[in-house]
Amino acid sequence: MLGRANYIALVGGGKQPKFPQNKVIIWDDAKQKAVITLEFRTQVHRVRLSRSRIVVALQNSIHMYAFSSPPEKLSVFETADNLNGLCCLGTKVVAFPGNATGRVQLVEIETGNVSIIPAHGSPLRAMELSPDGQVLATASETGTLIRIFATSNCARIAELRRGVDHATIYSIGISPDNTLLAVTSDKSTLHIFDLPHPLRDDYRNSPQIGTASSVHSIGSIDETPNQKWGILGKIPLLPRLFSDIYSFTSAHFETVDDPSIGGVGAPYVPIPGIPGGKAAKGIIGWLNEYTIMVIGAGRDGRWERFIVGTADDGRRHCVRNGWKRYLGS
């Protein structure tokens, strides 16, 4: 959906799709009709809209159009396998996987200039662009680290540690004021981090921002209160996990598995048109600077609302404030 405008991008999916999976339908809700149709040779995995662009993610390519009638194709970029349809569209840049494992392509919309970020050594699993377009957060299929990059110069400015064991990242979300980052995974845990930002004084004034050692300077005990291991983070030669930045709070959310067709014990039947064949879980949406929605689809589809607040002792926390099953029987 395009912000709060009346345009919605529709793609066929599910067990009985209304539209083909290789077509993008731009629906004008005010006129109650389709105003733009884009057809491709392969399945569409994601669509992003802005007031000037339509970006379509296929398995191995990204297609960019001018948002006009008829739409004008502006460029096509090759990518590595992108079954999750990873793509972030801001007002000035668009980010998506590169054509090599773990890399990100960052394209300036106005000029078309392309920058390559070697983000991870394993395939990308999730990425998110901050509302102001200044920060890009990425995660790989390993699921232990969230890496933070400045879009102005592609420098890595921080690493945030979700945990030490492997996890499948469901979603990354950045708060409207660009200060907090939320992450969900198949561990059924919502993690909240302070988001390093290159335009804030506490990070901009660091002499090591933009260098390979900037991660360690930002993660030092004197500057960051969210180190899990305390004084151990200062001891040289210990594994890096002792000095990494951890979330300042976390909360449990529900990830109920959908029953197999045919009942318990029946073979699993993937859902057509959906990455991995399973209904999405743990999708993050920020309502405001302190309210987070976590949404899951499927037969047990539900939303959960979480509030980030501060306790009497000054410690920040995240508590569930409400939930509703909107698709369950």
Side-chain angles (χ1 to χ4, degrees), residues 52-95:
S52 63
R53 296 291 186 267
I54 302 172
V55 179
V56 181
L58 308 183
Q59 180 173 341
N60 293 108
S61 59
I62 294 288
H63 298 248
M64 190 180 303
Y65 296 82
F67 201 142
S68 57
S69 186
E72 176 189 358
K73 179 176 280 190
L74 301 176
S75 51
V76 179
F77 301 90
E78 293 184 0
T79 71
D81 281 347
N82 187 19
L83 293 174
N84 291 308
L86 301 182
C87 180
C88 300
L89 176 59
T91 56
K92 295 183 179 180
V93 297
V94 56

Side-chain angles (χ1 to χ4, degrees), residues 8-9 11 33 79 88 92 106 133 146 171 179 181 276 306-307 318:
I8 304 172
V11 180
K33 67 176 184 179
T79 71
C88 300
K92 295 183 179 180
L106 193 68
I146 311 299
S171 181
T179 61
L181 181 145
F306 296 87
I307 305 295
C318 180

Side-chain angles (χ1 to χ4, degrees), residues 6-7 57 62 151 177 213 278 318:
N6 49 292
Y7 294 108
I62 294 288
T151 58
D177 61 355
S213 59
K278 293 185 178 182
C318 180

